[in-house]
Amino acid sequence: VPRNYDPALHPFEVPREYTRALNATKLERVFAKPFLSSLDGHRDGVNCMAKHPKSLSTVLSGACDGEVKIWNLTKRQCIRTIQAHEGFVRGMCARFCGTSFFTVGDDKTVKQWKMESPEYGEEEEPIHTILGKTVYTGIDHHWKEAVFATCGHQVDIWDEQRTSPMCSLTWGFDSISSVKFNPVETYLLGSCASDRNIVLYDMRKSTPLKKVILNMRTNTLCWNPMEAFIFTAANEDYNLYTFDMRFLESPVMVHMDHVSAVLDVDYSPTGKEFVSASFDKSVRIFPVDKGHSREVYHTKRMQHVITVKWTSDNKYILCGSDEMNIRLWKANASEKLGVLAPREKAAMNYNQKLKEKFQYHPQIRRIAQHRHLPKSIFCQIKEQRIMREARRRKELNRRKHSKPGSMPFVSERKKHIVAVVK
């Protein structure tokens, strides 16, 4: 019998650790209760949200009836309501210092509001109002300067002190649905147009840099807050595409799991994960380097999720949906909230390491990945799997019965890109 006489090495170390890892994984699924609360008060679907750059507990939301609400997340209450626009609030963003915020709406105006409530007896008035010629569909503020960008028929870059844009950037003729400033290289911005383009601009030049054309329309994009050149685009073809802006020929990763159009995406402050909101009434969390989601959130009452935000302390996710509610979720479903004792913290870290060590064992992997889904999503996933399999079979048959080399292999990443124009 081979013996190991080293007293530090226990003969049953691995089996014991495996049992502990299995138990830890099971307990993680038992304690996974991600839904915290819903903030209700809107009288129409929630169309857009914005985070306060300095205060973790403040969040702003705009609805389809032109109403803007400011929420206190610790009390889970609405602290202020403004009737900002006639028609939809199309977009909103906070100023980088947190003293004011901007909204754009269907009434062709851009309005700047104070973040604090008005004094007793004061009217609820905007600081500035800019009347535009066309409807603005989105707005984003520069991360360091008093400059903001709006999009509609073109991308306009405004100085806060002026009532006409500093410059207008255009490439193509279709309406632009969203515009986002890069948080790292702050003079870069990206926009999504309804002619299936993602266009990148440099504020220091008065011309666009380059654009990538996809098979279907991109609804919005979000820049990675840690890596300057990486951004993720939420597409109509149920996928999300993570691009490196230097190499737009093929995406870094295609994230596939949703079964309907993806409407919004937002990065976690660590830049390692992002959250996406979809028309299929669910919210998913994807690691940046993985093609499938690690988590899916849904409730019976939640309808099409239009907007989603990841809070700046990396702990919570907020999503706004059609049926007038903003929901607050934990970013880590089984995390214990509140103060942790040192022993609890040590036990959690130990369990985490065990789960990482044994994550590829079939039993543990099955338990960790199992999720209950609504019947509609479950059936659609099944249907799409059959369709994908049929397409693959057809391609194999074609390749088998055609001249060698006449049907090239196209990777999943390159399939969805039509062209890159510089």
Side-chain angles (χ1 to χ4, degrees):
V1 179
R3 293 255 173 90
N4 191 333
Y5 291 105
D6 183 355
L9 292 174
H10 195 280
F12 296 135
E13 185 183 9
V14 175
R16 279 179 179 184
E17 281 193 344
Y18 175 76
T19 310
R20 284 175 188 168
L22 190 64
N23 289 341
T25 311
K26 285 178 180 174
L27 284 174
E28 180 193 49
R29 296 312 313 141
V30 169
F31 292 130
K33 297 201 168 25
F35 180 70
L36 292 174
S37 76
S38 79
L39 312 171
D40 42 357
H42 276 295
R43 291 170 300 183
D44 208 335
V46 182
N47 200 42
C48 54
M49 285 197 293
K51 292 183 283 198
H52 193 294
K54 297 284 168 76
S55 153
L56 283 174
S57 60
T58 310
V59 72
L60 312 132
S61 66
C64 298
D65 57 354
E67 204 172 57
V68 168
K69 280 184 182 285
I70 301 178
W71 304 87
N72 184 335
L73 290 182
T74 40
K75 294 180 184 166
R76 298 178 191 174
Q77 282 174 353
C78 173
I79 49 178
R80 186 169 159 217
T81 305
I82 308 163
Q83 186 58 47
H85 295 277
E86 289 162 20
F88 283 44
V89 180
R90 285 288 171 194
M92 61 196 312
C93 66
R95 200 172 185 274
F96 61 91
C97 60
T99 53
S100 63
F101 64 93
F102 295 82
T103 60
V104 292
D106 274 357
D107 51 5
K108 302 183 184 178
T109 55
V110 182
K111 293 184 181 177
Q112 183 182 5
W113 307 83
K114 269 193 188 139
M115 196 66 84
E116 280 82 41
S117 305
E119 299 293 322
Y120 181 72
E122 262 189 80
E123 287 290 310
E124 186 75 86
E125 289 283 312
I127 308 171
H128 297 302
T129 304
I130 299 168
L131 255 171
K133 295 185 179 68
T134 55
V135 173
Y136 296 113
T137 53
I139 185 167
D140 198 32
H141 201 285
H142 194 282
W143 290 77
K144 288 177 184 165
E145 293 168 23
V147 172
F148 64 92
T150 60
C151 60
H153 279 303
Q154 61 203 24
V155 172
D156 292 328
I157 294 172
W158 308 74
D159 191 309
E160 281 180 17
Q161 307 304 323
R162 292 169 55 179
T163 55
S164 58
M166 291 197 295
C167 68
S168 296
L169 304 162
T170 164
W171 192 354
F173 299 101
D174 265 29
S175 58
I176 294 159
S177 56
S178 86
V179 62
K180 292 279 164 72
F181 273 100
N182 191 324
V184 187
E185 301 287 349
T186 48
Y187 44 79
L188 291 176
L189 50 125
S191 74
C192 310
S194 56
D195 54 358
R196 305 174 303 163
N197 292 347
I198 300 171
V199 190
L200 301 172
Y201 309 92
D202 190 332
M203 221 168 65
R204 299 166 300 180
K205 289 181 176 181
S206 54
T207 54
L209 291 175
K210 47 183 167 180
K211 69 175 172 182
V212 55
I213 307 169
L214 280 83
N215 272 333
M216 286 179 85
R217 191 181 75 190
T218 302
N219 286 315
T220 184
L221 60 88
C222 187
W223 293 92
N224 190 324
M226 286 293 163
E227 298 183 49
F229 300 114
I230 305 289
F231 66 91
T232 296
N235 205 284
E236 284 278 317
D237 64 359
Y238 317 167
N239 299 342
L240 294 114
Y241 301 100
T242 298
F243 283 98
D244 187 325
M245 67 169 280
R246 297 163 295 181
F247 317 107
L248 289 174
E249 284 71 30
S250 77
V252 182
M253 185 57 73
V254 181
H255 309 274
M256 318 166 75
D257 258 342
H258 281 295
V259 292
S260 194
V262 190
L263 300 180
D264 199 10
V265 57
D266 192 39
Y267 263 93
S268 76
T270 58
K272 293 195 172 163
E273 293 183 317
F274 60 85
V275 59
S276 64
S278 169
F279 200 75
D280 63 14
K281 309 177 188 177
S282 70
V283 173
R284 284 181 186 267
I285 301 173
F286 291 87
V288 174
D289 52 353
K290 299 275 195 303
H292 293 285
S293 60
R294 74 159 170 88
E295 199 60 80
V296 54
Y297 294 159
H298 53 86
T299 68
K300 268 188 181 167
R301 290 186 178 185
M302 187 156 75
Q303 294 302 309
H304 313 305
V305 192
I306 297 172
T307 172
V308 71
K309 283 276 177 273
W310 197 310
T311 57
S312 306
D313 60 348
N314 199 27
K315 280 215 182 281
Y316 306 103
I317 285 165
L318 288 149
C319 70
S321 52
D322 253 359
E323 71 333 316
M324 308 181 273
N325 272 358
I326 297 167
R327 287 182 174 78
L328 183 65
W329 309 83
K330 286 193 260 186
N332 197 350
S334 57
E335 184 180 26
K336 188 183 172 200
L337 298 179
V339 182
L340 292 179
R343 283 182 65 179
E344 271 185 306
K345 209 174 270 183
M348 269 176 52
N349 292 340
Y350 177 56
N351 285 342
Q352 188 57 39
K353 277 281 170 257
L354 283 178
K355 282 183 287 197
E356 280 169 25
K357 182 176 175 180
F358 292 97
Q359 62 185 336
Y360 296 114
H361 283 241
Q363 189 78 8
I364 287 177
R365 191 171 168 194
R366 186 185 66 81
I367 295 166
Q369 287 188 344
H370 184 75
R371 296 288 179 277
H372 283 288
L373 289 169
K375 196 175 177 185
S376 59
I377 296 180
F378 183 76
C379 294
Q380 277 175 293
I381 288 175
K382 215 152 96 182
E383 196 177 308
Q384 281 173 17
R385 195 181 295 135
I386 294 165
M387 284 157 71
R388 257 203 309 274
E389 197 50 47
R391 279 199 292 271
R392 198 182 69 87
R393 236 181 6 255
K394 185 175 183 179
E395 198 179 318
L396 281 174
N397 289 341
R398 275 192 175 162
R399 194 168 280 120
K400 202 190 292 178
H401 296 291
S402 55
K403 198 169 138 193
S406 63
M407 281 199 65
F409 287 92
V410 183
S411 72
E412 185 62 48
R413 292 179 189 183
K414 294 211 168 146
K415 260 181 208 166
H416 310 278
I417 308 293
V418 177
V420 176
V421 189
K422 290 182 185 175

